[in-house]
Amino acid sequence: SKSIAIMGGSGTIALESMISTLMTDDTLVVSAGTYGERALEIAVRYNLKCKFVKSKTIEDLKENKDVKFVYFVENETSTGEKYSIEKMSKIYPSAKFLIDATSSFGASEYSGYHEKIVAISFCSNKCLQSTPGLGIVIWDDTVETHDRSYYGDLTRYKDEKIPFTVPVQSVYALLE
């Protein structure tokens, strides 16, 4: 089953919450630029010993059937590279994905891949074209979680709870 966390903050709070709550040491972080590097920096802050691969394009990645979890930025705006879930599923056929969709959610299609997605993080602006101020994570709440963060602990947001004050104007703008 899926849960949704809506929190006051940017896409960065959403991806940090996803990393701190759901990422494990056996996660492969694919970096194609600044935002993949940011994910690795966050993982290091939480003492995660995840694997890391630097990639200039999706074609750089080699098929690997042994990887269990992969974190990637779907649309790496610092380099212009696109890492579609369709192609990533072919490269990592056995993996489940943690996706930074900050610059792609609302413009990408995920139908047919729901079982591959452990979590996806994004924000209220960018492709949703609403006002900034909300970080959002949709995640599979049946996976193991870790309470490494206070504000960013996704389990606090289960069962339609918003445990902290959010910018009300951003919520109304997103509804519109």
Side-chain angles (χ1 to χ4, degrees), residues 25-171:
D25 286 336
D26 61 350
T27 301
L28 175 66
V29 176
V30 174
S31 175
T34 302
Y35 300 104
E37 294 287 332
R38 179 183 292 173
L40 183 63
E41 288 176 28
I42 292 168
V44 167
R45 285 278 174 125
Y46 287 103
N47 295 315
L48 291 163
K49 313 269 188 282
C50 51
K51 300 168 193 122
F52 177 70
V53 64
K54 206 165 187 72
S55 169
K56 289 189 181 186
T57 71
I58 197 166
E59 284 76 29
D60 291 345
L61 301 173
K62 307 274 188 273
E63 183 178 334
N64 188 330
K65 296 177 183 175
D66 298 326
V67 175
K68 292 181 185 177
F69 297 100
V70 175
Y71 176 97
F72 66 96
V73 178
E74 185 179 8
N75 187 15
E76 179 57 73
T77 55
S78 69
T79 61
E81 292 304 315
K82 175 96 171 129
Y83 288 72
S84 74
I85 192 166
E86 179 182 4
K87 288 182 180 179
M88 292 297 281
S89 293
K90 290 176 183 168
I91 296 166
Y92 302 106
S94 303
K96 301 279 187 173
F97 299 127
L98 292 94
I99 304 170
D100 174 349
T102 302
S103 294
S104 56
F105 193 87
S108 292
E109 180 62 48
Y110 304 101
S111 296
Y113 297 99
H114 295 143
E115 75 289 342
K116 299 263 315 162
I117 301 172
V118 169
I120 189 164
S121 68
F122 54 99
C123 59
S124 54
N125 50 317
K126 307 278 181 165
C127 289
L128 293 183
Q129 298 182 349
S130 186
T131 59
L134 298 175
I136 303 162
V137 181
I138 302 171
W139 85 98
D140 179 348
D141 61 15
T142 64
V143 299
E144 181 181 3
T145 59
H146 310 277
D147 60 351
R148 299 177 183 116
S149 171
Y150 183 78
Y151 182 81
D153 180 358
L154 293 177
T155 63
R156 293 180 180 277
Y157 298 84
K158 285 181 71 164
D159 304 320
E160 299 181 22
K161 291 180 189 170
I162 299 179
F164 305 103
T165 304
V166 294
V168 177
Q169 69 280 10
S170 296
V171 174

Side-chain angles (χ1 to χ4, degrees), residues 3-23:
S3 285
I4 300 172
I6 300 173
M7 54 192 71
S10 64
T12 303
I13 189 62
L15 73 89
E16 181 170 344
S17 299
M18 179 172 66
I19 290 168
S20 68
T21 305
L22 302 171
M23 191 178 279

